[in-house]
Amino acid sequence: MSPMANAVNAPHSLSIADALRMIEQGRFRIPSFQRPFTWSVRQTIAFFESIVTGLPTGALVVLENAAEPEEVQIGFTTVRAPADPFAWWIVDGSQRLGALASVLLTGNSRKGSIRLAYDLETGDLIERRQDSAQTHQLPLDVVANQVSFWQWVNDQGAYLGHYIDRAVDVRARIMDYQLTLVRMLGAGAETAADVFVRLNSTAVSLTRTDLFHARHPGSQADSGSTLRASSRRLSTLGTGRVPAEAILDVMLALGEATEPAELLAEGNTRLLTDAEPAIARSIAWLRDEAAIPHLSVWQSHLNLLPAIARFFHLNPAASTRSRILLRRWLWRTMSRPSEQVQGYIRSAVRGNDSMDAFRLLQHVSTKKPERTVLRHVGHPLALTILEPRSLANGQAIDVTTVLERFGKSAFRRLGGVSILSPHDEGPLEERVLAAVDDPDLLAGHALTSTIARGLASAEPIGFRQARKDLLAEYASTAIARWAEWGASDRPAISDLLVDDDLVVDDETREDMDL
């Protein structure tokens, strides 16, 4: 009989807070067949992304058995473990527990520690480098200890503002996350080693697209690779990556299916053939006419891509007037809380040039929003639309090229705020201080000489809010050029003549002089 036959599994949930406490108490032990902690920063970030978003991370499998007192190293954390008649010998999950210990329990100065932070502005998990600013980047090594967490919050001062609630929420998501623990009772070391071999020889990693298809059973097996291939082709446009999920959303906007599973089950390659050039035309328009230089600063607005792609699919040779109206719709929509556009795409965009753009505009207010524009548009995108010049040589920055080459690392932090300045420009503090006598150069980065000096000083906190207010002011002025709140949104006369079922309210009718 196989040694597996007598193993008894007793699964239950274990919060990360409890798991960390048991690591520190020495409850977890490392059997001889386990490999050392080998996860990279990238793997660790992916693991914590799953935790923060509530995705499953797989079961921890342990053998419950007696253990002698010893020194135990889990990840980069070492503990003195006492004798324990019911110790948990890790069969599967050593790397995951090592990641938890290395990120959440290891101090900043510990050699070999993995330093991660959660960016409260962008919602990204990032590697936290020694010279990175702390404001709006919640260090994960303060999350496990309540005193350390609130000390960090207090250190950020009033500038943290509404991000305090987000920080509290992220901490709760991590510490309350429920791990699945499977305890093997009444099994010996031979059984544990056999389980380890089985799990690690048959497990297959899932890509992000694989996970998407797993959430939508019934999709064809080859659709994932087809979408990834399309994403790679679109990336050659030099404006960033279009996620497979976004391509699926565009296919839904172009077709009749209402769910991704339904769409993929049909195996409708024609829709993908239509979607890819429509997305390409959309990206070119975004870059050349709508002031969106790169998809990396537009990720939070990808829900608008299906409407734009449907427009350019049905209007491949769109008139100048229709493109202007579409640009107004884009920036008016982006300047407000996230808009749900899926419900009105088909009814608004029918293949009638400027009428399509006009119908989209009917779904968003023409009134200029309050100073919350910056929060909805996002700091990175706001910084790219100010026509910034290089702090190194004063030349205009080709933002698209810079973001394609450097990605988010092109936004460096000074005194707790983001500044578009690639690393090859040299030390940021020196460049900013060198520009303090050039108000036009500073204005392209939403800085004044006073704010620039303050951010580069040893006490930058008081200048962060001033910079944020200035960025909001400058961004609102720039956005107004494209949103054109209050302007007449009249479609082309030729389109009005052929549209028999146009329905407008009294205010719009008066504006159009109908």
Side-chain angles (χ1 to χ4, degrees):
M1 181 180 291
S2 166
M4 295 281 293
N6 294 324
V8 178
N9 299 331
H12 67 277
S13 295
L14 181 73
S15 71
I16 285 181
D18 290 337
L20 293 175
R21 184 172 65 253
M22 292 182 178
I23 289 174
E24 292 181 305
Q25 293 173 351
R27 187 71 182 272
F28 287 101
R29 302 299 177 96
I30 307 295
S32 59
F33 55 74
Q34 278 289 358
R35 55 183 173 167
F37 182 68
T38 60
W39 268 11
S40 65
V41 171
R42 182 177 179 180
Q43 289 171 298
T44 306
I45 287 177
F47 174 58
F48 274 89
E49 284 177 340
S50 296
I51 291 172
V52 171
T53 56
L55 293 174
T57 55
L60 303 175
V61 181
V62 298
L63 168 66
E64 189 169 288
N65 215 331
E68 299 295 326
E70 62 175 334
E71 186 176 87
V72 178
Q73 181 168 340
I74 297 180
F76 295 113
T77 297
T78 302
V79 297
R80 296 291 303 178
D84 187 344
F86 304 106
W88 289 346
W89 296 84
I90 305 171
V91 178
D92 190 55
S94 175
Q95 300 297 309
R96 282 165 281 163
L97 287 170
L100 292 174
S102 299
V103 172
L104 301 175
L105 294 181
T106 304
N108 291 343
S109 61
R110 182 67 176 270
K111 183 178 180 181
S113 63
I114 297 179
R115 297 161 53 87
L116 300 185
Y118 183 90
D119 193 313
L120 299 170
E121 288 183 344
T122 65
D124 294 327
L125 276 157
I126 58 175
E127 182 178 10
R128 189 165 62 94
R129 304 192 182 277
Q130 291 288 350
D131 59 349
S132 65
Q134 302 299 305
T135 303
H136 291 174
Q137 291 184 6
L138 171 62
L140 294 198
D141 57 10
V142 306
V143 164
N145 185 290
Q146 187 173 7
V147 174
S148 299
F149 171 76
W150 285 109
Q151 181 61 55
W152 176 83
V153 170
N154 292 332
D155 288 345
Q156 306 317 301
Y159 185 65
L160 197 59
H162 64 278
Y163 292 113
I164 292 178
D165 291 339
R166 190 172 298 177
V168 171
D169 176 62
V170 170
R171 179 176 186 266
R173 291 189 197 183
I174 293 174
M175 299 306 290
D176 295 341
Y177 181 88
Q178 297 295 307
L179 301 163
T180 299
L181 182 76
V182 177
R183 295 157 54 216
M184 298 174 58
L185 310 175
E190 183 182 357
T191 300
D194 186 45
V195 171
F196 173 80
V197 171
R198 289 171 182 260
L199 289 173
N200 287 278
S201 62
T202 60
V204 178
S205 298
L206 298 180
T207 66
R208 189 164 175 244
T209 303
D210 293 330
L211 288 171
F212 181 82
H213 289 295
R215 298 188 192 107
H216 301 281
S219 61
Q220 288 199 345
D222 63 346
S223 58
S225 59
T226 302
L227 290 171
R228 286 191 294 269
S230 178
S231 178
R232 287 192 297 270
R233 287 192 295 270
L234 290 167
S235 296
T236 62
L237 297 174
T239 52
R241 189 178 73 88
V242 182
E245 293 90 330
I247 298 174
L248 272 176
D249 287 340
V250 171
M251 293 170 66
L252 285 168
L254 301 188
E256 298 302 324
T258 58
E259 293 292 337
E262 177 187 350
L263 174 67
L264 295 174
E266 298 171 357
N268 199 333
T269 57
R270 179 188 61 79
L271 284 179
L272 182 58
T273 303
D274 290 341
E276 194 170 314
I279 294 173
R281 283 192 289 269
S282 301
I283 291 174
W285 174 80
L286 286 167
R287 178 194 60 209
D288 300 335
E289 301 180 47
I292 309 296
H294 200 268
L295 295 179
S296 64
V297 293
W298 199 62
Q299 288 293 309
S300 61
H301 305 288
L302 275 173
N303 63 312
L304 305 181
L305 182 60
I308 301 171
R310 180 175 171 87
F311 176 87
F312 282 108
H313 171 64
L314 296 176
N315 302 285
S319 66
T320 300
R321 178 62 178 172
S322 66
R323 298 162 88 96
I324 291 173
L325 295 179
L326 186 66
R327 185 174 62 195
R328 291 179 187 175
W329 168 80
L330 174 72
W331 280 97
R332 291 178 192 178
T333 305
M334 287 167 46
S335 301
R336 298 182 180 278
S338 180
E339 296 281 349
Q340 296 297 321
V341 301
Q342 302 300 326
Y344 64 78
I345 290 178
R346 289 189 178 91
S347 63
V349 182
R350 309 175 194 173
N352 197 6
D353 205 22
S354 62
M355 279 305 310
D356 284 345
F358 171 74
R359 289 194 189 93
L360 286 172
L361 276 166
Q362 286 187 288
H363 292 274
V364 63
S365 175
T366 60
K367 296 180 180 179
K368 186 176 181 178
E370 301 298 327
R371 290 172 60 87
T372 56
V373 170
L374 181 61
R375 184 167 70 234
H376 302 310
V377 169
H379 286 216
L381 180 55
L383 288 168
T384 68
I385 63 177
L386 300 183
E387 300 179 357
R389 291 157 48 198
S390 169
L391 292 169
N393 55 34
Q395 300 297 313
I397 295 177
D398 185 341
V399 177
T400 300
T401 300
V402 167
L403 293 178
E404 182 69 7
R405 179 182 176 188
F406 296 100
K408 291 183 178 179
S409 66
F411 296 97
R412 287 196 280 172
R413 307 286 284 188
L414 177 65
V417 305
S418 296
I419 295 177
L420 182 58
S421 177
H423 287 271
D424 60 355
E425 288 192 348
L428 183 56
E429 294 84 352
E430 295 178 10
R431 294 298 182 188
V432 169
L433 290 176
V436 295
D437 295 326
D438 188 339
D440 291 334
L441 178 57
L442 291 176
H445 297 273
L447 296 170
T448 64
S449 58
T450 300
I451 295 175
R453 289 191 182 96
L455 292 174
S457 70
E459 298 292 337
I461 294 179
F463 298 92
R464 294 172 186 164
Q465 187 62 47
R467 196 305 178 94
K468 183 178 179 180
D469 291 341
L470 192 62
L471 178 57
E473 178 184 343
Y474 285 4
S476 294
T477 301
I479 291 169
R481 298 201 304 267
W482 304 299
E484 297 183 290
W485 287 287
S488 172
D489 296 329
R490 182 184 313 185
I493 296 298
S494 58
D495 287 330
L496 282 171
L497 295 176
V498 298
D499 194 279
D500 297 328
D501 56 351
L502 173 64
V503 177
V504 295
D505 56 30
D506 292 339
E507 181 179 352
T508 305
R509 181 179 297 276
E510 179 180 349
D511 182 49
M512 292 175 58
D513 295 328
L514 292 179

